[in-house]
Amino acid sequence: MLHDIYTRPLKDLRISVTDRCNFRCTYCMPFDDYEWIAKKELLTFEEIARLAGLFVRLGVDKIRLTGGEPLLRRDLEKLIGKLSSLNGLEDLCLTTNGSVLAGKVAALKSAGLRRINVSLDTLNSEKFARIRRRGDLAKVLEGLFAAKRCGLHPIKINVVVERGVNDDDIIDLVEFSRKSGFALRFIEYMDVGNSNNWTSEKLVSKKEILDTIDARYPLREVGRDKGSAPSMDYEFIDGQGEIGVIASVTEPFCSTCTRARLTADGKLVTCLFSATAYDLKVLLRNGAADEEIVEIVSAIWRKRADRYSDKRLEAMNSGRGYRAKDYKKIEMITLGG
Ligand code: SF4
């Protein structure tokens, strides 16, 4: 098995299929001068499937499709069909903003998608408009319930919690999920990209999130899926569902990070906070053989030394402080989160 310099295996691949999005969420896409990837630079479904197959050969057993908004990529179910038949792939999932999910979920399910994550930070339509800056809460809810009717399971709702923005929505979201049978994933507000104006004051810690929920609906820790998932999971003691918290800032999990990312234009990125990427599309389009690509990806992974969130916490605790703006990163809209 392939390991990086901290002996972390390559197990997960997050593939962005487009950087386009129909929302402009304040924590992901807060700027207007972003240069979109040109259409001819996007990997074709055949190219994505070929690379995915090579990553599976190297040990990847889980693939998540992201964007931008992945459902804006036309005929995405065709890609799902190709990926779901890869030998050795155990888990194929999709993260979406839910805006056009209702009309597409049946085709996605038929093509082999089994589970889904939907980003939703509030159930208050006014606040939704402020955070997302485009789109319609009702459409996202419609998408969630359409996914449920189609039998996708589990359906997880991803919530980025930002102080003063939606930290007072936590209980509403918990009650909605418990009632509707959705699982919740709370995500600490992070300094992804270069322009979301992150400061530690905007952070609502995992401890605060858990204390808020536990005071109303007592929780019991379950642990991380497979021991290495980003989310620490909890179940409600009354048996009515579960939540998870992704605490990248206050309890980083770099030591167990097995994730690589592939951008929509075919660049391999080894950390969510990377400043650099490795162009695999050039190899594909210059006729590289599978063995050559496998060798190059292996060499990149063997040298991988990323532990950005660990270092962030060390800086925050050191007294010298941490200023997100001092670190240049690839934008989240490009990376797919
Ligand atoms: S900061 Fe980078 S290395 Fe650490 S968990 Fe996140 S993606 Fe993995």
Side-chain angles (χ1 to χ4, degrees):
M1 190 183 276
L2 182 61
H3 290 95
D4 70 7
I5 68 165
Y6 297 122
T7 69
R8 297 171 296 189
L10 172 57
K11 298 292 287 177
D12 308 73
L13 181 63
R14 301 177 64 113
I15 303 174
S16 170
V17 294
T18 177
D19 62 342
R20 310 275 155 161
C21 190
N22 49 350
F23 288 179
R24 294 289 181 273
C25 302
T26 48
Y27 51 79
C28 171
M29 186 56 188
F31 49 96
D32 294 321
D33 54 355
Y34 175 78
E35 203 173 312
W36 302 101
I37 297 171
K39 204 165 173 204
K40 65 178 179 10
E41 302 301 333
L42 292 179
L43 291 186
T44 63
F45 288 166
E46 287 69 28
E47 289 171 329
I48 293 173
R50 180 176 168 206
L51 283 178
L54 299 179
F55 274 87
V56 170
R57 260 173 65 180
L58 288 169
V60 163
D61 57 18
K62 174 179 172 185
I63 289 179
R64 176 179 297 281
L65 297 179
T66 66
E69 168 45 45
L71 298 183
L72 296 188
R73 181 86 187 246
R74 193 183 303 162
D75 301 328
L76 189 72
E77 63 279 6
K78 291 188 180 154
L79 178 62
I80 303 252
K82 288 179 190 295
L83 298 180
S84 62
S85 60
L86 282 176
N87 253 338
L89 186 68
E90 291 171 12
D91 191 5
L92 176 62
C93 41
L94 173 83
T95 297
T96 171
N97 66 27
S99 57
V100 296
L101 178 60
K104 303 200 175 210
V105 68
L108 298 171
K109 171 92 190 300
S110 306
L113 190 70
R114 296 285 166 266
R115 66 189 193 89
I116 201 162
N117 285 33
V118 178
S119 303
L120 178 62
D121 306 308
T122 179
L123 295 166
N124 174 317
S125 51
E126 214 175 279
K127 212 182 268 190
F128 179 95
R130 237 180 300 143
I131 298 171
R132 303 273 162 180
R133 299 193 300 170
R134 293 201 186 164
D136 180 358
L137 172 63
K139 293 272 178 223
V140 178
L141 296 177
E142 200 186 316
L144 272 167
F145 286 103
K148 188 178 177 186
R149 277 195 304 279
C150 258
L152 292 191
H153 185 80
I155 297 167
K156 296 181 183 175
I157 298 177
N158 290 351
V159 185
V160 175
V161 186
E162 188 178 346
R163 189 175 309 284
V165 175
N166 64 337
D167 47 338
D168 54 346
D169 290 64
I170 291 173
I171 292 297
D172 275 1
L173 285 157
V174 164
E175 290 178 345
F176 170 73
S177 303
R178 281 166 56 89
K179 198 169 89 190
S180 313
F182 303 129
L184 272 175
R185 289 290 171 275
F186 291 99
I187 302 170
E188 286 184 347
Y189 185 52
M190 289 180 277
D191 54 316
V192 286
N194 305 299
S195 316
N196 74 352
N197 295 318
W198 182 92
T199 63
S200 57
E201 285 75 40
K202 294 183 182 176
L203 170 74
V204 181
S205 70
K206 173 187 167 201
K207 181 173 181 324
E208 286 176 86
I209 294 168
L210 287 177
D211 286 350
T212 302
I213 300 170
D214 190 65
R216 187 78 67 89
Y217 299 103
L219 293 162
R220 178 190 302 128
E221 185 175 307
V222 175
R224 294 184 194 277
D225 188 27
K226 296 185 180 161
S228 65
S231 169
M232 179 64 84
D233 296 335
Y234 300 80
E235 60 188 10
F236 293 109
I237 284 176
D238 66 8
Q240 268 208 60
E242 55 141 297
I243 63 145
V245 186
I246 300 180
S248 302
V249 181
T250 63
E251 292 178 21
F253 36 84
C254 295
S255 63
T256 57
C257 179
T258 56
R259 283 171 294 287
R261 293 171 161 82
L262 184 65
T263 65
D265 58 349
K267 299 204 171 79
L268 172 63
V269 181
T270 56
C271 175
L272 177 58
F273 301 93
S274 287
T276 51
Y278 307 87
D279 196 345
L280 301 184
K281 186 184 71 202
V282 164
L283 300 175
L284 291 175
R285 294 194 181 170
N286 284 343
D290 285 357
E291 290 314 322
E292 189 184 339
I293 298 172
V294 162
E295 234 353 277
I296 287 169
V297 172
S298 303
I300 292 166
W301 192 263
R302 279 193 208 102
K303 279 194 270 178
R304 176 186 187 242
D306 302 298
R307 46 185 298 276
Y308 189 92
S309 293
D310 278 354
K311 289 188 197 159
R312 183 205 294 112
L313 187 62
E314 285 160 16
M316 286 167 74
N317 291 338
S318 69
R320 71 192 136 93
Y322 170 79
R323 284 200 334 169
K325 283 196 183 324
D326 293 345
Y327 301 85
K328 182 99 181 119
K329 307 166 203 112
I330 301 171
E331 296 297 350
M332 181 157 145
I333 190 90
T334 312
L335 275 184

